[in-house]
Amino acid sequence: MPASAVHRVSTLAAGIGLTLSAAVSFATPASAAAITCKESGGELYVTATSAPVRTAYYETGRVVDTVHRGDRLNFTMSCKNSKGNLWYLVDKTYGVNKGWIYSGNAARI
């Protein structure tokens, strides 16, 4: 993985309070290139009955909060993970713990 990509991943992880360890194994360069993130902001509303807010933009991320249909969320970044799933980084604007929500559970306002 190029040094610039490692730096971006480290910066992103630090920004959401995660620590990368030396034991982390990175995906092959072809799949690593599939991860795309962009800093953009906006608001979402939750469309699912309930949805987890996670520490990472994968379903394996630890759940830090749960939101419910109709809740409003503010997001500051969006990422498409290596599986092609779009996730939003939500902040505490509306009282939700900072973390990632899957786009299938929310819609942009």
Side-chain angles (χ1 to χ4, degrees):
M1 177 178 279
S4 61
V6 171
H7 181 274
R8 282 193 306 271
V9 170
S10 298
T11 302
L12 177 62
I16 60 171
L18 300 176
T19 303
L20 295 178
S21 72
V24 172
S25 64
F26 290 98
T28 61
S31 64
I35 298 173
T36 57
C37 294
K38 58 183 174 180
E39 290 188 43
S40 62
E43 288 187 297
L44 305 167
Y45 67 94
V46 179
T47 57
T49 302
S50 66
V53 176
R54 299 181 180 275
T55 58
Y57 48 83
Y58 286 92
E59 64 184 343
T60 56
R62 183 176 55 82
V63 175
V64 294
D65 209 336
T66 301
V67 292
H68 304 280
R69 180 175 288 141
D71 286 352
R72 290 179 67 142
L73 308 170
N74 187 62
F75 73 95
T76 57
M77 180 179 287
S78 61
C79 288
K80 190 174 281 192
N81 65 21
S82 62
K83 295 181 179 186
N85 299 319
L86 178 62
W87 292 73
Y88 295 102
L89 178 61
V90 298
D91 64 22
K92 294 185 172 194
T93 300
Y94 291 107
V96 175
N97 287 322
K98 186 175 183 177
W100 295 91
I101 186 168
Y102 173 58
S103 64
N105 293 326
R108 291 181 76 156
I109 296 175

